[in-house]
Amino acid sequence: MRIALDAMGSDKFPVPDITGALDAAREYGDTIILVGDEDCIRQELANHHTGSLPLEIIHAPQHITMADHPSQAARSKPDSSIHVATRMVASGEADACVTMGNTGAVLTIATLHTLKRIRGVKRPTLTSIIGIREKKIILTDMGANTDAKPEWIAQFGIMGSVYAASAMGLPNARVGLLSNGEEEDKGNIASREAHELLKDSGLNYIGNIEPRDVMKGHADVIVADGFVGNVFLKTMEAMAETMVGIIRTELVADPRSKMGGFLAKPAFRRVRRIIDPFEIGGAPLLGVNGVIIIGHGRSNALAVKNSIRQARLAVQGNVVNSIREQLATNGTDTKD
Amino acid sequence: MRIALDAMGSDKFPVPDITGALDAAREYGDTIILVGDEDCIRQELANHHTGSLPLEIIHAPQHITMADHPSQAARSKPDSSIHVATRMVASGEADACVTMGNTGAVLTIATLHTLKRIRGVKRPTLTSIIGIREKKIILTDMGANTDAKPEWIAQFGIMGSVYAASAMGLPNARVGLLSNGEEEDKGNIASREAHELLKDSGLNYIGNIEPRDVMKGHADVIVADGFVGNVFLKTMEAMAETMVGIIRTELVADPRSKMGGFLAKPAFRRVRRIIDPFEIGGAPLLGVNGVIIIGHGRSNALAVKNSIRQARLAVQGNVVNSIREQLATNGTDTKD
């Protein structure tokens, strides 16, 4: 397998990007194509033992930063590492693309310039894989589409369900619609209409779901408007951090607890690992003509490596073709 | 002060309701008017030492349950304990009303039947006081208004800010708009329009705020559409519980941590107390002609007592008149 890795993506590029890519090449044996400023890449590679690792370098003369405006940068820097890496997927030179770059720019470039939408897809959906205890839950959309129309939301359910089956080995995934209550009349206007569409979708749709039941693992795929999904995901992450902070403060507030906290360090290390989003990697963008995983700018090497693992699973599972087939049989029209 | 307490509100009525009311009467010395089925109330009172506590009983012949449809029940049971208790506030027989009852029914009854909207208020807003570490944060709307229009959202900011000043001693509260990013162009259509209105509102408005910064205490009042605010609040609560569960599991997974967990029990007790929403009480409904605090159906006696404390603070702070004045000077029109 050949995976194009944007070497200029993360906030601290190219160190986490290239380190994670080398770890992935070592562990999985896939060819990693490092895309970005060639000098910059070679300089960083000199710090590593690359030996006989299956690596290639493709020069990209332009660089989109986190400060760049997404759609402006998408137009004004047509040879950015993001453009070049995604174009390699579109042309078949790579099987998948992984980037920790400017999410807005990546969405624009992949959707409108290079990979483009799969026929029948109303809006590609950014899809987070959330680890809760031993379970993995799919959240889609996690932020690409605010003010999502009901038909988009229903399609997110279809694409999320296909991803669960083909990349996560979870056929017939239970799909829930994130809402402010589980009763049928809960939700806002868009979600109530999406609820009706999802009921008729042929999916294993379980109806509205509240955050509490999401965390109990009552559904495998959580569907949401991108604004709501983003607030939900960020609240989960922020609350996990907050709880760790509260516990840390309380553990040093009396001598007995302090000793307890010291002894319980192995447990807290495991907790930190359980809630570490980097253990999972990045977010697949579903609904475009190719596998692309978008990681957080703050990603470390572990997150980059795990994003590459997600890309492999999506390629192996034939996610893109499965979405194509599912949407063809699902009889969705191509009108927006 | 005279506070009307719906004795038939909580899931396990009348025990938590009446127990909490007696605790409040004992601690604060206010007169508590127990509203509900008189036999039921007297039967429960027989289990307590009420001595010379300032109590009154007002019989309400009807009872709205959690299973009742809000607007149907509001019409078909005009002499429910919720109607009677809120009517006492409207008529001046009570200074405030507290209920753990069917939230939808309470909202309908208070807004449309008994207390009614303050002139100029587009939509009353259900307002949660969230404890994060040592800080208290106001979230408004927490669920009464899905699909909130931008002008409603801006008014939630005004009312939340007034509440902070008059009931919580926090003048010039920093108001933030819950969003999927802090940049000005983030948000959905409604929130971006609300952002413009809030900028011109004269409030101490700090702009869009992400969940992470909410939890860091960067704002005092968080404004949101009711659907988003509800998902946010429920995600916080569910994630806090989830973290406690994860930590509990990991603490028994190895002997050293197990001993540590045992020693750290005092710390974990403090943590549980910090994240216990019942430590704060219920949610004030802002924008109606009277003080009303709505607690969760699952409330225990502590939550009922603390809801009564919140009612007292709102009465002492003259919240209702302050909102009236603020909306009058704010020049908002009364058109919906």
Side-chain angles (χ1 to χ4, degrees):
Chain A
M1 196 180 301
R2 294 167 54 79
I3 294 172
L5 185 275
D6 174 11
M8 322 291 282
S10 79
D11 294 349
K12 295 181 177 167
F13 78 92
V15 182
D17 313 78
I18 290 183
T19 310
L22 297 179
D23 291 343
R26 232 171 256 126
E27 189 164 333
Y28 311 128
D30 298 323
T31 298
I32 307 290
I33 308 159
L34 300 166
V35 181
D37 182 82
E38 188 166 349
D39 290 344
C40 173
I41 293 171
R42 290 201 183 280
Q43 217 167 330
E44 175 57 23
L45 281 177
N47 300 327
H48 299 267
H49 296 285
T50 54
S52 60
L53 287 179
L55 298 176
E56 295 176 19
I57 298 174
I58 294 286
H59 180 63
Q62 290 173 319
H63 178 217
I64 294 175
T65 69
M66 294 298 175
D68 275 323
H69 184 277
S71 53
Q72 274 170 19
R75 278 192 309 270
S76 67
K77 296 180 176 176
D79 293 313
S80 78
S81 53
I82 300 169
H83 285 84
V84 173
T86 51
R87 233 180 256 137
M88 292 184 77
V89 178
S91 67
E93 295 163 87
D95 298 299
C97 158
V98 172
T99 175
M100 309 295 124
N102 181 322
T103 305
V106 177
L107 292 175
T108 307
I109 292 165
T111 304
L112 302 178
H113 296 264
T114 54
L115 296 171
K116 299 186 177 164
R117 280 189 275 177
I118 290 172
R119 194 178 160 78
V121 166
K122 291 168 198 301
R123 290 293 184 281
T125 178
L126 195 59
T127 303
S128 180
I129 322 296
I130 307 173
I132 298 180
R133 304 180 194 237
E134 65 289 348
K135 250 192 79 66
K136 286 195 172 49
I137 292 167
I138 297 172
L139 170 68
T140 186
D141 178 38
M142 64 164 268
N145 304 281
T146 56
D147 296 295
K149 292 194 166 60
E151 310 83 58
W152 309 359
I153 295 175
Q155 264 199 354
F156 301 163
I158 296 171
M159 294 191 276
S161 191
V162 168
Y163 184 85
S166 40
M168 295 173 72
L170 202 66
N172 205 30
R174 295 160 303 168
V175 177
L177 178 63
L178 186 62
S179 194
N180 58 339
E182 57 187 16
E183 300 85 355
E184 200 162 41
D185 60 345
K186 291 287 177 156
N188 57 18
I189 294 170
S191 81
R192 280 194 299 268
E193 286 181 28
H195 173 72
E196 295 303 321
L197 296 172
L198 283 162
K199 281 203 291 188
D200 296 336
S201 66
L203 294 172
N204 183 7
Y205 176 60
I206 63 162
N208 287 326
I209 187 164
E210 287 194 281
R212 188 182 52 193
D213 290 330
V214 172
M215 293 181 206
K216 285 183 184 158
H218 289 192
D220 306 299
V221 176
I222 309 300
V223 182
D225 159 80
F227 182 77
V228 175
N230 193 269
V231 168
F232 170 72
L233 181 64
K234 285 178 172 161
T235 305
M236 278 189 67
E237 291 175 353
M239 195 65 199
E241 276 305 313
T242 302
M243 286 296 295
V244 169
I246 289 174
I247 290 166
R248 190 180 287 140
T249 305
E250 292 306 326
L251 277 177
V252 297
D254 71 284
R256 178 184 151 164
S257 298
K258 203 166 179 174
M259 172 58 78
F262 174 74
L263 286 173
K265 273 199 174 163
F268 289 118
R269 260 196 299 272
R270 290 192 295 270
V271 170
R272 287 228 69 120
R273 212 183 139 179
I274 288 171
I275 64 167
D276 182 2
F278 294 161
E279 287 286 339
I280 288 182
L285 177 66
L286 303 180
V288 293
N289 291 295
V291 170
I292 173 165
I293 308 290
I294 308 173
H296 201 288
R298 286 200 316 263
S299 287
N300 56 18
L302 176 68
V304 173
K305 192 196 86 169
N306 287 333
S307 296
I308 292 174
R309 180 168 50 87
Q310 282 182 292
R312 309 182 75 228
L313 293 172
V315 173
Q316 286 170 345
N318 211 355
V319 166
V320 175
N321 268 328
S322 303
I323 289 177
R324 244 178 230 130
E325 284 163 20
Q326 192 62 38
L327 288 183
T329 62
N330 215 271
T332 50
D333 58 55
T334 54
K335 177 172 61 83
D336 278 357
Chain B
M1 196 180 302
R2 294 167 53 79
I3 294 172
L5 186 275
D6 173 10
M8 321 291 282
S10 80
D11 295 347
K12 297 180 177 168
F13 78 92
V15 181
D17 314 76
I18 291 183
T19 310
L22 298 180
D23 291 344
R26 233 169 255 127
E27 189 164 333
Y28 310 128
D30 297 322
T31 298
I32 307 291
I33 308 158
L34 300 167
V35 182
D37 181 82
E38 188 166 350
D39 289 345
C40 174
I41 293 171
R42 290 202 183 279
Q43 218 167 333
E44 175 57 23
L45 282 177
N47 301 325
H48 300 267
H49 295 286
T50 53
S52 60
L53 287 179
L55 298 177
E56 296 176 18
I57 299 174
I58 295 286
H59 180 63
Q62 289 172 319
H63 178 216
I64 294 176
T65 70
M66 293 299 175
D68 275 324
H69 184 278
S71 54
Q72 273 169 18
R75 278 192 309 270
S76 66
K77 297 180 176 175
D79 292 313
S80 78
S81 54
I82 300 169
H83 285 84
V84 173
T86 51
R87 232 180 257 137
M88 292 183 77
V89 179
S91 67
E93 294 162 90
D95 298 299
C97 158
V98 172
T99 174
M100 310 294 126
N102 181 321
T103 304
V106 177
L107 293 175
T108 307
I109 293 165
T111 305
L112 302 178
H113 296 264
T114 54
L115 296 172
K116 300 190 177 162
R117 280 187 276 175
I118 290 172
R119 196 180 160 78
V121 167
K122 291 169 198 300
R123 289 294 183 280
T125 179
L126 195 57
T127 302
S128 180
I129 321 299
I130 306 172
I132 298 180
R133 302 178 195 239
E134 63 290 348
K135 249 192 80 65
K136 285 195 174 48
I137 293 167
I138 297 171
L139 169 68
T140 187
D141 177 38
M142 65 164 268
N145 304 282
T146 57
D147 296 294
K149 292 196 166 64
E151 310 83 57
W152 308 359
I153 296 175
Q155 264 198 356
F156 300 162
I158 297 171
M159 293 191 276
S161 191
V162 169
Y163 184 84
S166 41
M168 295 173 71
L170 201 67
N172 204 29
R174 296 160 302 167
V175 177
L177 178 63
L178 186 62
S179 194
N180 58 339
E182 58 187 15
E183 302 85 354
E184 199 163 39
D185 60 346
K186 292 285 178 160
N188 57 18
I189 294 172
S191 81
R192 281 194 299 268
E193 286 181 29
H195 173 73
E196 294 304 321
L197 296 172
L198 283 161
K199 281 202 292 187
D200 296 336
S201 65
L203 294 173
N204 182 8
Y205 176 59
I206 64 162
N208 286 327
I209 187 165
E210 287 194 280
R212 187 182 51 197
D213 290 330
V214 173
M215 294 182 205
K216 285 183 185 158
H218 289 192
D220 306 300
V221 176
I222 310 299
V223 182
D225 159 79
F227 182 77
V228 176
N230 192 269
V231 168
F232 170 72
L233 181 64
K234 285 179 172 162
T235 305
M236 279 190 67
E237 291 175 353
M239 195 64 199
E241 277 303 314
T242 301
M243 287 296 295
V244 169
I246 290 174
I247 290 165
R248 191 181 287 140
T249 305
E250 293 306 326
L251 276 178
V252 296
D254 71 284
R256 179 183 149 164
S257 297
K258 204 165 177 173
M259 173 57 79
F262 174 75
L263 286 172
K265 273 198 173 160
F268 289 117
R269 260 196 299 273
R270 290 192 295 270
V271 170
R272 288 229 67 124
R273 209 182 144 179
I274 288 171
I275 63 168
D276 181 5
F278 295 160
E279 286 287 340
I280 288 183
L285 176 66
L286 303 180
V288 292
N289 289 296
V291 171
I292 173 165
I293 309 289
I294 308 174
H296 201 289
R298 287 201 314 265
S299 288
N300 56 18
L302 176 67
V304 174
K305 190 195 88 172
N306 287 333
S307 297
I308 292 173
R309 181 169 48 90
Q310 281 181 292
R312 310 182 75 227
L313 292 172
V315 173
Q316 285 169 346
N318 211 355
V319 166
V320 175
N321 267 329
S322 303
I323 289 177
R324 243 179 232 130
E325 284 163 19
Q326 192 61 37
L327 289 183
T329 61
N330 214 271
T332 49
D333 58 55
T334 53
K335 177 171 60 83
D336 279 359

